[in-house]
Amino acid sequence: MNTPTTQPANDLLTRAGAIENSGWGRSFTFYQPRNAAFWVYLALVMSGAFKFFSLLSSSAGAYGEAIALSLVLFGVYGAIFWWFTQHIDRYARQPVKLIVVAFLWGSFAATWVMAANANDAILSLYAKTFGQAWASDWGPGLTAPFTEEIAKGIGLLLLIALASRLVCTAFDGFILGAFIGLGFQIFEDVLYALNSAASQFGADPVGAAMPTIILRMVFGVAAHTLYSAIFGAGLVYLLGRPAEPRRVGRGLALMATAMLLHGLWDSAGALTQGKNALLFPLIFVMVAAALTLVVRVFRMTVPRERQFLSDILAPEVDRGVITDEEFVALCGDHKARRAFRKSAGGHAARKRAEYVLEAAADLADALADSHGTNTGRVEFARSEVSRIRSGQPSVKL
């Protein structure tokens, strides 16, 4: 049986192991000249960026307004997705630099260097083998799910090579995969908007592009960001990581699911033979199914992250910094947090309870950054939890 003196010591050892295994608090260095993955990443991203901006510059004279509008609208759209993805990544948060690196891979390398070339080649083979009509109907659904998901997955492999101590769990693959897919989706959508702008031979390019922009924004909620999140989680399960045991079957199933969702989406027109009475119900069902699946994958991957958070904050319960109720809410799901806030009472008390949880999460970040040692930032974070709980005003220096 543990004595009162040994139990806190064991908790501190568990905390140290959680910080080490989760990668929480580690920084990311992009410039790694001795790492071949760095040069592969750099060459492909720069090649893709050059190709993309060359395309824009050659079209800017005729379709500049449409290009600018699509960049602004899809940029705002992407910012909302970025905020939401960061919002759900409340645990061992990835460094912003690593997230940007993931986003840029999807934006330029996966889109313009890998997938675009592979898609053109395979679609050409389909047309020669099965005829142009068949290739137009079924080619996208039997090409893009493989070329594009693999291209995005290669980006995650490079990130693992560049940040092996940061990509530790399937949840990390889920989050980074989402950002790779977000980059892919935004810059692919810009191309679709540009193609639409040119569809009327330069007459009203903005008007011609707007329907495409609106449709891509409305239905983009169940597109590349979602597919890549599922694929990324599956890829980590397939490979295994020090903090995530290898599960080949689960990994292959998730990767195949992402490809299947992608393929069904790209084959919607062929499946319904262009009949709108069937097309829109099918799209609705596919969007609902995709959102349901991504929520299930999130719930599948997040428990390990919650356990890391629990291990890091458990000693703070022993110290009396965090109450048992706060600890359960912070390390639980959204229902546990909502129940904790509702139990506080009135509106002001519920807001204060929410701020307490945020302060406790900041304390976890501070502990991870300090590798569990008592630094000035950690002590300040502890005092903030107590101050907010008691409703005291902040100290102005």
Side-chain angles (χ1 to χ4, degrees), residues 143-390:
T143 302
F146 306 102
T147 59
E148 295 177 4
E149 297 310 320
I150 290 173
K152 291 180 287 184
I154 289 172
L156 183 56
L157 290 177
L158 290 174
L159 294 185
I160 293 173
L162 289 168
S164 60
R165 302 184 75 176
L166 285 167
V167 189
C168 303
T169 64
F171 186 79
D172 294 331
F174 181 89
I175 294 295
L176 292 173
F179 279 107
I180 292 173
L182 179 61
F184 194 106
Q185 181 171 328
I186 289 175
F187 285 84
E188 182 187 61
D189 287 349
V190 171
L191 175 63
Y192 278 108
L194 178 58
N195 290 339
S196 296
S199 63
Q200 297 179 6
F201 304 101
D204 189 20
V206 172
M210 276 306 298
T212 297
I213 293 173
I214 293 171
L215 285 174
R216 300 293 294 185
M217 292 177 69
V218 169
F219 295 114
V221 66
H224 286 288
T225 304
L226 183 151
Y227 306 148
S228 299
I230 297 174
F231 192 93
L235 183 57
V236 172
Y237 277 128
L238 176 65
L239 298 174
R241 303 294 298 147
E244 190 71 73
R246 190 180 187 195
R247 298 184 179 183
V248 175
R250 177 179 291 186
L252 291 174
L254 290 178
M255 294 165 71
T257 297
M259 290 181 175
L260 177 61
L261 291 172
H262 194 161
L264 288 173
W265 180 265
D266 285 354
S267 300
L271 289 170
T272 59
Q273 296 298 303
K275 297 176 182 178
N276 290 337
L278 297 176
L279 179 61
F280 288 104
L282 177 61
I283 289 176
F284 176 81
V285 170
M286 289 192 293
V287 169
L291 292 174
T292 300
L293 284 168
V294 80
V295 169
R296 290 181 65 87
V297 175
F298 172 83
R299 291 175 177 171
M300 179 190 301
T301 58
V302 79
R304 194 170 298 276
E305 302 292 322
R306 290 182 180 143
Q307 185 60 54
F308 287 143
L309 179 62
S310 173
D311 292 342
I312 290 172
L313 288 180
E316 301 306 306
V317 179
D318 297 331
R319 294 175 65 110
V321 176
I322 298 174
T323 67
D324 290 330
E325 294 78 12
E326 293 163 355
F327 180 76
V328 170
L330 194 64
C331 301
D333 58 15
H334 70 282
K335 292 181 180 179
R337 291 189 294 273
R338 185 170 63 244
F340 173 74
R341 290 193 296 267
K342 289 180 66 175
S343 68
H347 176 74
R350 289 197 297 271
K351 293 298 292 184
R352 185 164 60 248
E354 182 178 348
Y355 293 147
V356 168
L357 295 184
E358 292 177 1
D362 291 340
L363 172 57
D365 284 332
L367 286 164
D369 289 342
S370 70
H371 303 288
T373 59
N374 292 327
T375 63
R377 181 188 169 195
V378 169
E379 291 302 328
F380 175 76
R382 286 172 176 150
S383 67
E384 281 295 281
V385 174
S386 176
R387 180 190 68 77
I388 294 172
R389 184 190 300 119
S390 63

Side-chain angles (χ1 to χ4, degrees), residues 88-99:
I88 65 174
D89 185 14
R90 62 177 73 245
Y91 305 101
R93 295 181 179 90
Q94 295 293 344
V96 173
K97 281 197 296 184
L98 183 59
I99 290 172

Side-chain angles (χ1 to χ4, degrees), residues 57-73:
S57 63
S58 65
S59 305
Y63 311 112
E65 292 183 0
I67 292 171
L69 179 64
S70 66
L71 286 172
V72 170
L73 292 180

